[in-house]
Amino acid sequence: MNDIINLEGNVPLDLLLNSTENAIIAIDCLGNIVYANKAVERVLGVNGIELIGELVSEYFPTTGLLHVLETKQPELAKKMVFRDRVLLSNRNPVFFEGNLIGAIAVFQDITVVQDFIDELIEEHERTKELKGTLEAVLDNAYEGLILVNKEGIITMTNQPFASFFNASPESLIGKPVLEVYDNPKFPEVLETGQAVYGYIHKLNGHEIIANRIPIRRNGEVVGALGKVTFKNVNELYSLADKVNALTSEVDYYKHKLLNLKETKITFDNIVSVNPKLRQLFDTAKKVALNNSTVLIRGESGTGKELIAQALYHESSRWKGPFVKVNCAAIPDTLLESELFGYVDGAFTGAKKGGQIGKFELADKGTIFLDEVGDMPLSMQAKLLRVLQEKEIERLGDNKSKKIDVRVIAATNRNLEELMKNKEFREDLYYRLNVIALNVPSLRERIDDIPALVAHFVGKFNHQFGAQVVEVDKEVLNLFKLHTWPGNVRELENVMERAFNVVDSEEIELKHLPIYLQTLKGRKSSNSHKGQSLASIVEEVEKEAIVFALAAAKGNKVQACHALGLSRSGLYKKLEKYNLAD
């Protein structure tokens, strides 16, 4: 072989080979390196002179030259990796006078020469064909797939498809598809060139839904791809049920969202004729125009959330989100993640990918922190930082994020008393109490009762499809005597209860809850004569709680809703009146 390489000519062969940009290595029939040009050192990073006489398998075990000696066949455009370099190699056997005397490999460094690779791939039709076929398969692949050529011979399949026949993909490749199973759609697709989608088919005893898609090259059908869309028809029915359910749910929320957008709550459409409350609304309208933090105070059921929504709708932030958080309804251990969100892996059971918090959801809008007086001290410190720094930090993260949120807080608790008992931070109190709106209780604005009753009659006539036209004067007079510990929410619940049992066009005393019906008898008998207002309120409040629990059959959650109390508020009153289990 050395003699051949050193053949004399007009131009020395060695000079020619050393002038190329490609690395060249030649071996004899025993696998010994007999030639290496200068480009070997640049391309492969190995001194070519040192290679002479060495076994090629020790230096380049992946060149494939030894395999070429075995097969006596060239191997073209083979990619290999050597010392972190990607190389393209052409390997050819060398014959002299009909005898194999060795093999030669030419290496091209394609690590940074991708354009050359593309040109080389385009020059090799076989590689191009493989590339096109693989792309078609990948574009259409599903968990059961099969590929046939234009003669209907299986050229590729995967394990999910082969599993239908308790076979391996290798055992199916090369067989005519008609021998593998009866009545495939492939002949029809190969003949017409038209895809067939979503047909139900029996596949070795399995009722499946499948697609058959023609594969074209240069406008000619060269094969067809089959993919199983559903391995069981019942899967489709199940999916259809889920889609229908999701569609219904989306329609529901779209309708609800439209209603929310259309029902723009303002101070002018909140029902009230009471001068004290109307004066509060006038103040709130002015407050709504700026971004100052607002603290709404008042008993449960007075309409604090309604006022918060009116503040939002009459502010410049009304196009942004309005996010409500009930601080008393969320367990202490979850409140931080609920308010500020968390990152992936922040704690055991955390949702993959993390979760955005309520403050981030409210960015460029308003967040309403209801029952803020029930927030644990540990969270109060973190809320204070958000109010001061205007930034939040997700649970498990070490990066802060700036937010633009207006805070409206509400509470029915005596914050001053809580501060004395070290249950509420003084610094947070002053941060929240920038603008204070004190909502009067219903017993302080008895003059609103007729207007509120008329409003609820209209609301529940529409909701129940009823035809109530009036409320008995005796009922209205009784309403004015009641102290309404649950405030407007209690009045609304009483009216709703009446609409559930009314059988005429008039709401009468008999349609009211028992605790209100008995109130008339107690008032007429002067049973509260000599009692203080506080003791009368407590007595009525206790009766209301007993009635609500009885109506809810002991379900405290339902009783909370009926009374307009928070969970913690109900438990405190149960303990106060010795009604706890």
Side-chain angles (χ1 to χ4, degrees):
M1 177 116 182
N2 284 315
D3 294 337
I4 297 168
I5 292 176
N6 292 318
L7 286 175
E8 293 184 2
N10 292 330
V11 179
L13 182 59
D14 192 58
L15 176 61
L16 290 174
L17 296 179
N18 282 325
S19 298
T20 182
E21 290 294 318
N22 298 334
I24 301 173
I25 291 177
I27 63 171
D28 59 20
C29 288
L30 299 177
N32 297 311
I33 298 173
V34 297
Y35 179 80
N37 69 349
K38 288 183 179 179
V40 167
E41 184 169 357
R42 179 178 56 77
V43 176
L44 303 180
V46 180
N47 189 318
I49 297 174
E50 295 178 357
L51 294 178
I52 305 301
E54 299 293 335
L55 284 172
V56 71
S57 58
E58 292 187 7
Y59 279 87
F60 311 107
T62 59
T63 63
L65 278 171
L66 295 178
H67 187 253
V68 169
L69 289 177
E70 259 182 63
T71 63
K72 299 180 183 180
Q73 297 295 320
E75 294 182 354
L76 304 178
K78 297 297 184 180
K79 189 167 70 173
M80 62 175 284
V81 178
F82 181 76
R83 294 187 178 178
D84 297 327
R85 295 189 183 189
V86 181
L87 305 171
L88 194 67
S89 172
N90 287 337
R91 310 151 191 161
N92 289 276
V94 178
F95 294 93
F96 183 68
E97 295 181 353
N99 297 315
L100 179 71
I101 62 170
I104 188 168
V106 180
F107 301 92
Q108 170 71 41
D109 187 349
I110 61 170
T111 308
V112 292
V113 195
Q114 192 62 48
D115 290 342
F116 178 75
I117 295 175
D118 292 338
E119 292 175 5
L120 193 59
I121 290 175
E122 289 174 1
E123 291 173 5
H124 294 81
E125 187 60 32
R126 180 182 173 187
T127 306
K128 181 180 177 182
E129 180 181 348
L130 177 61
K131 180 174 179 287
T133 303
L134 288 176
E135 284 179 348
V137 171
L138 291 175
D139 286 342
N140 297 280
Y142 194 57
E143 54 180 301
L145 62 86
I146 179 174
L147 188 70
V148 301
N149 62 18
K150 60 185 178 181
E151 285 79 30
I153 304 300
I154 299 173
T155 58
M156 185 181 295
T157 186
N158 65 353
Q159 187 58 57
F161 186 87
S163 295
F164 284 110
F165 306 95
N166 297 318
S168 66
E170 293 77 13
S171 65
L172 299 181
I173 292 173
K175 291 184 177 180
V177 69
L178 291 171
E179 289 184 10
V180 175
Y181 64 100
D182 297 331
N183 193 29
K185 288 284 184 180
F186 285 115
E188 177 185 332
V189 172
L190 291 169
E191 182 179 348
T192 66
Q194 299 295 317
V196 181
Y197 294 101
Y199 69 94
I200 299 176
H201 180 60
K202 283 279 188 180
L203 187 63
N204 200 27
H206 301 271
E207 194 173 31
I208 65 165
I209 296 178
N211 300 332
R212 294 291 182 264
I213 304 164
I215 297 174
R216 289 183 172 85
R217 187 175 303 109
N218 299 324
E220 181 186 351
V221 175
V222 296
L225 172 72
K227 66 176 183 177
V228 178
T229 308
F230 293 96
K231 292 190 290 186
N232 190 313
V233 174
N234 291 330
E235 290 181 9
L236 178 61
Y237 298 147
S238 175
L239 181 61
D241 290 340
K242 290 178 182 178
V243 170
N244 290 335
L246 286 172
T247 302
S248 300
E249 190 173 351
V250 169
D251 288 344
Y252 167 77
Y253 283 113
K254 281 172 66 178
H255 180 70
K256 190 173 182 180
L257 182 60
L258 285 173
N259 287 340
L260 286 173
K261 288 292 184 184
E262 291 169 1
T263 310
K264 186 176 179 180
I265 298 171
T266 66
F267 291 108
D268 290 333
N269 57 32
I270 296 178
V271 178
S272 178
V273 296
N274 180 262
K276 187 175 180 180
L277 191 55
R278 297 310 310 180
Q279 184 179 0
L280 181 143
F281 290 169
D282 290 339
T283 302
K285 286 181 181 180
K286 299 173 185 177
V287 170
L289 300 176
N290 58 55
N291 289 320
S292 297
T293 302
V294 179
L295 178 62
I296 306 172
R297 306 185 67 170
E299 296 178 9
S300 291
T302 51
K304 297 187 291 296
E305 183 179 348
L306 206 62
I307 292 172
Q309 290 186 28
L311 282 168
Y312 159 70
H313 281 117
E314 297 203 14
S315 74
S316 60
R317 294 173 173 265
W318 69 272
K319 290 185 179 179
F322 179 81
V323 178
K324 177 190 172 185
V325 181
N326 189 322
C327 300
I330 303 171
D332 295 354
T333 53
L334 299 178
L335 188 56
E336 181 176 0
S337 62
E338 189 74 16
L339 288 177
F340 308 130
Y342 55 83
V343 296
D344 191 5
F347 53 86
T348 303
K351 186 189 297 183
K352 189 174 182 180
Q355 179 171 293
I356 191 171
K358 299 296 188 186
F359 269 93
E360 282 187 78
L361 286 173
D363 195 33
K364 302 297 186 296
T366 302
I367 190 168
F368 176 48
L369 302 177
D370 199 9
E371 307 289 359
V372 72
D374 293 295
M375 181 178 284
L377 279 170
S378 59
M379 280 303 302
Q380 291 178 28
K382 294 177 181 179
L383 175 60
L384 178 64
R385 180 178 179 274
V386 172
L387 294 174
Q388 289 175 333
E389 306 297 334
K390 306 294 183 186
E391 61 183 27
I392 60 100
E393 189 174 293
R394 288 190 183 186
L395 190 65
D397 201 356
N398 55 8
K399 299 190 296 290
S400 297
K401 179 179 179 179
K402 286 288 183 181
I403 54 167
D404 176 18
V405 176
R406 184 185 194 177
V407 176
I408 300 175
T411 184
N412 61 2
R413 305 287 300 278
N414 186 328
L415 296 183
E416 292 77 13
E417 189 68 30
L418 292 175
M419 283 192 294
K420 287 181 183 178
N421 297 330
K422 306 297 182 184
E423 295 176 32
F424 200 85
R425 293 179 64 104
E426 188 174 347
D427 45 8
L428 178 58
Y429 170 81
Y430 290 113
R431 278 285 176 184
L432 292 173
N433 201 36
V434 177
I435 305 291
L437 300 176
N438 294 293
V439 186
S441 64
L442 185 54
R443 61 181 169 274
E444 296 176 83
R445 50 188 180 104
I446 297 298
D447 49 347
D448 273 343
I449 287 179
L452 287 168
V453 168
H455 169 74
F456 291 134
V457 166
K459 174 182 177 179
F460 292 125
N461 267 334
H462 177 73
Q463 182 175 320
F464 286 86
Q467 299 292 329
V468 172
V469 294
E470 63 178 320
V471 176
D472 193 310
K473 289 183 180 179
E474 190 176 24
V475 171
L476 287 174
N477 290 333
L478 184 63
F479 281 172
K480 292 176 182 178
L481 291 173
H482 185 43
T483 53
W484 299 106
N487 291 290
V488 179
R489 189 184 288 118
E490 183 187 355
L491 174 60
E492 182 177 9
N493 290 340
V494 167
M495 291 296 294
E496 184 175 358
R497 192 262 185 198
F499 267 82
N500 274 283
V501 297
V502 69
D503 51 4
S504 64
E505 295 181 348
E506 183 181 30
I507 292 178
E508 303 175 43
L509 189 65
K510 65 180 180 180
H511 300 131
L512 302 183
I514 298 298
Y515 76 91
L516 283 176
Q517 293 182 36
T518 58
L519 176 63
K520 181 176 182 298
R522 294 199 305 272
K523 292 295 181 182
S524 61
S525 64
N526 293 319
S527 60
H528 292 307
K529 188 175 182 179
Q531 287 183 265
S532 67
L533 177 61
S535 63
I536 295 172
V537 170
E538 287 184 354
E539 182 179 332
V540 174
E541 187 174 63
K542 180 178 179 180
E543 288 182 5
I545 292 171
V546 171
F547 172 77
L549 286 170
K553 297 180 180 179
N555 188 313
K556 293 183 175 63
V557 174
Q558 292 181 18
C560 283
H561 289 308
L563 294 167
L565 292 174
S566 66
R567 183 182 55 182
S568 60
L570 176 62
Y571 278 98
K572 287 175 182 176
K573 292 185 184 297
L574 291 174
E575 186 176 349
K576 176 181 178 180
Y577 297 123
N578 295 317
L579 297 175
D581 294 337

